[in-house]
Amino acid sequence: MLTTLDDKAVLSSRSEDKDALKALITDTLDAILDSIEDDSAFSGIDPYRLRDAVAGLGFLPEEGMEWQDTMESIRKTILPNMLRPWSPSYMPHLHSPALLESIASELIIAVFNNSMDSWDQSPVATEIEESMIHGLCSLFGYEADADGTFTSGGSQSNMSAAIAHRDRYIAERLGWDVKKEGLPPEARKLRMYTSEIAHFSFQKSAHVMGLGYDSVVLLPIDRNARINIRKAEEIISKDAEEGYLPFLIIATAGTTDFGSIDDISSLRNIADRYGAYLHVDAAYGSGAIMSSRYKDRLGDIHKADSITIDFHKMFLLPISCSAVLVKERKALDCFLIHADYLNREEDEEDGYINLVGKSMQTTRRFDALKVYISFRTRGRRGYERIIDTAIENAAYLYQRISSDDAFVAPVRPELSSVVFALRGGDELNKRIRRELLSRGTVIGQTVYQDHVMLKFTLLNPALTHEHLDTLIATIKETAASLA
Ligand SMILES: *Cc1c(COP(=O)(O)O)cnc(C)c1O
């Protein structure tokens, strides 16, 4: 039995180290599995009690504790209060359960602790990431000159793309080198355009990029929660006439709340008319590419200059795992900077690829392994069944809800989210969500046309129509109990 770990306890070829690692992992796995007694999503503990319990754990003991002691606190306080995203009662966010084999791949990532910045820190990992990136480029219809990088998530993928396009636009239009000189005097005129229901990471990016929230123009949506193309054209053309510089149009393929997909082809035409780049934020909808039945819903995604993919949403991989793809490799040169100790220019000439040159991050995890392992384990077909189940569950739930007078559901789902409200007003809907939470059913809440709406995000492939029927019944009972 493991007691204390000595200072030399890192993995090596010594059998003591191997045995210790095995014992640690076995103990941990036993504790995890023991903690899962039912399929509830959450213990329901209130935040004040949980804070007290955590405060009782302490911070940094002077001497290390025995492993069993640590495990005890994990078993007692941490594991029982973890959120369990695989629960059929959990559907508030684009937050998925993780495929079993992808959990196992996290072990390889952690044990070898390779870092994706330079080839000498991640030889086979660099080659696998490159190979996955090139496979993804062709999966999304890009040609040989495309490239990409894994990132920490959709927010970073979006920001990477926005920076790349800003720098290129400014170089081409204004003959100015942002990397060297910072923003040009005309920077206050730069504008990017996206849906009023696009992800907030574009405002955040605009701030970090020195352009400010005002540079993000929000375009109105139509009845299907897609960018209204006619109004978009009017707004952008008026801005261009007034001397603004439209450098980027962003289509969303799967808005966070509704899963609605903008008309990429029409936005491409507008972008071309004004010399803007086109980014598609497919953090949510990218999974649909696996489905022969539904991939057309992504429209002409290959016409985008860049694409954000999240693997920790529809692809059901552990957080975090995302990629940004660019149609032209040189777009990512904005992140290239040479450091004498890391990515010497002569390395590249001799075939050593240092991925730091196309990433915002330096030290970076081998997240590509999770994609590699799950793609191999499931195949395109396996993923197709997972994605089709999610989309068809949403269609089923929407059909049930929209044919029931107790509910309103304003937007027909294209992916796996259903936004709805119970008739009875905003306050009732807010109270229902809180009440369901305290009873262990976690659903989402958002706003649509100034009204509080509730939301189901159905990523879990284990959800069945029976679960959804029960859910509707539970919501109606809860509403009745509050009335
Ligand atoms: C989730 C989401 C993001 C942000 O991705 P993270 O991985 O959470 O950083 C961006 N865009 C859309 C449309 C999303 O749904």
Side-chain angles (χ1 to χ4, degrees):
M1 190 162 98
L2 258 167
T3 52
T4 49
L5 290 167
D6 72 29
D7 299 343
K8 297 190 202 66
V10 293
L11 190 58
S12 76
S13 61
R14 295 191 319 162
S15 57
E16 303 93 283
D17 292 333
K18 290 185 180 175
D19 291 345
L21 180 65
K22 203 169 192 173
L24 289 165
I25 289 175
T26 308
D27 268 7
T28 308
L29 188 57
D30 286 345
I32 290 170
L33 299 181
D34 291 347
S35 78
I36 303 169
E37 290 173 336
D38 58 34
D39 283 324
S40 62
F42 176 53
S43 64
I45 188 170
D46 84 67
Y48 300 103
R49 272 189 50 217
L50 188 53
R51 210 158 296 146
D52 285 346
V54 169
L57 298 179
F59 168 58
L60 174 67
E62 193 56 23
E63 282 295 340
M65 296 182 154
E66 295 202 346
W67 169 248
Q68 302 309 332
D69 271 0
T70 301
M71 234 23 241
E72 186 62 18
S73 70
I74 294 199
R75 277 181 179 269
K76 264 211 182 111
T77 310
I78 300 183
L79 295 178
N81 292 308
M82 289 296 276
L83 187 278
R84 304 187 190 100
W86 57 82
S87 165
S89 309
Y90 182 74
M91 55 212 93
H93 305 291
L94 288 164
H95 179 190
S96 72
L99 296 175
L100 290 173
E101 72 280 12
S102 68
I103 300 171
S105 50
E106 287 282 6
L107 192 55
I108 301 178
I109 297 171
V111 165
F112 288 94
N113 204 29
N114 281 197
S115 177
M116 306 309 299
D117 34 345
S118 59
W119 205 91
D120 63 3
Q121 301 181 74
S122 54
V124 69
T126 295
E127 301 299 333
I128 294 272
E129 174 167 326
E130 282 291 274
S131 151
M132 295 314 289
I133 285 290
H134 294 120
L136 289 166
C137 286
S138 79
L139 183 66
F140 281 87
Y142 275 177
E143 291 174 6
D145 191 35
D147 200 357
T149 181
F150 276 80
T151 72
S152 65
S155 302
Q156 195 187 37
S157 293
N158 285 340
M159 194 183 323
S160 301
I163 292 171
H165 299 317
R166 176 199 63 184
D167 286 11
R168 283 206 292 172
Y169 180 95
I170 292 174
E172 287 155 7
R173 283 301 189 90
L174 307 171
W176 182 277
D177 182 354
V178 176
K179 199 190 265 190
K180 190 156 163 288
E181 300 181 275
L183 293 174
E186 299 88 339
R188 295 181 62 82
K189 296 273 177 199
L190 290 166
R191 289 291 178 271
M192 53 180 124
Y193 299 83
T194 193
S195 161
E196 59 179 311
I197 55 169
H199 193 261
F200 61 79
S201 50
F202 295 105
Q203 278 100 333
K204 242 188 198 181
S205 301
H207 166 211
V208 176
M209 289 160 70
L211 303 177
Y213 290 177
D214 288 351
S215 70
V216 183
V217 179
L218 298 180
L219 303 171
I221 53 173
D222 64 17
R223 276 185 305 128
N224 297 311
R226 302 178 192 138
I227 289 175
N228 180 319
I229 296 295
R230 193 179 44 79
K231 291 194 181 145
E233 170 81 57
E234 276 169 27
I235 290 168
I236 297 170
S237 104
K238 184 156 172 286
D239 278 2
E241 271 164 35
E242 289 175 6
Y244 288 103
L245 301 169
F247 77 98
L248 181 60
I249 297 180
I250 300 144
T252 309
T255 54
T256 308
D257 276 340
F258 295 94
S260 49
I261 299 172
D262 292 327
D263 174 353
I264 294 168
S265 214
S266 298
L267 292 170
R268 173 80 266 174
N269 292 339
I270 300 178
D272 288 346
R273 211 165 304 142
Y274 298 97
Y277 287 99
L278 177 70
H279 174 68
V280 174
D281 178 1
Y284 178 5
S286 43
I289 202 80
M290 294 301 205
S291 166
S292 351
R293 198 171 304 162
Y294 300 113
K295 74 171 173 208
D296 286 353
R297 295 192 177 177
L298 297 176
D300 287 330
I301 194 165
H302 64 281
K303 290 186 178 169
D305 295 299
S306 50
I307 303 171
T308 288
I309 305 167
D310 261 1
F311 294 100
H312 53 223
K313 291 179 176 170
M314 288 193 108
F315 287 96
L316 312 181
L317 300 191
I319 297 164
S320 59
C321 196
S322 176
V324 60
L325 306 181
V326 293
K327 180 181 262 171
E328 292 174 301
R329 169 164 302 145
K330 66 173 190 284
L332 292 177
D333 285 351
C334 61
F335 298 118
L336 180 62
I337 178 165
H338 281 283
D340 292 332
Y341 69 91
L342 203 57
N343 56 342
R344 295 141 299 254
E345 289 183 53
E346 72 263 22
D347 274 5
E348 272 118 87
E349 285 154 22
D350 296 330
Y352 296 98
I353 306 167
N354 297 311
L355 293 180
V356 69
K358 52 181 180 172
S359 168
M360 205 142 66
Q361 292 163 268
T362 306
T363 302
R364 192 160 56 82
R365 286 166 51 85
F366 182 23
D367 289 324
L369 183 70
K370 298 185 273 195
V371 181
Y372 170 79
I373 288 185
S374 285
F375 275 20
R376 269 186 88 93
T377 310
R378 306 285 165 161
R380 209 249 336 139
R381 284 267 170 86
Y383 258 117
E384 171 172 62
R385 288 188 293 271
I386 287 171
I387 303 290
D388 285 0
T389 299
I391 294 177
E392 283 159 15
N393 274 336
Y396 174 78
L397 188 63
Y398 174 77
Q399 182 270 323
R400 285 281 328 256
I401 280 185
S402 56
S403 61
D404 186 327
D405 285 343
F407 299 100
V408 279
V411 179
R412 176 183 294 278
E414 286 179 272
L415 296 172
S416 56
S417 306
V418 184
V419 176
F420 71 101
L422 270 119
R423 292 184 200 276
D426 290 355
E427 283 313 309
L428 175 71
N429 282 287
K430 285 188 201 170
R431 284 171 60 211
I432 288 174
R433 192 190 68 89
R434 276 285 178 85
E435 183 62 24
L436 287 169
L437 182 63
S438 72
R439 297 185 193 185
T441 295
V442 195
I443 65 170
Q445 179 182 320
T446 187
V447 171
Y448 178 66
Q449 293 181 338
D450 298 327
H451 283 291
V452 172
M453 305 296 287
L454 302 176
K455 174 171 91 153
F456 300 115
T457 313
L458 309 174
L459 295 177
N460 189 342
L463 281 175
T464 60
H465 290 185
E466 291 73 58
H467 286 125
L468 301 175
D469 291 341
T470 311
L471 189 63
I472 294 176
T474 309
I475 291 175
K476 289 175 98 165
E477 276 162 37
T478 308
S481 76
L482 292 176

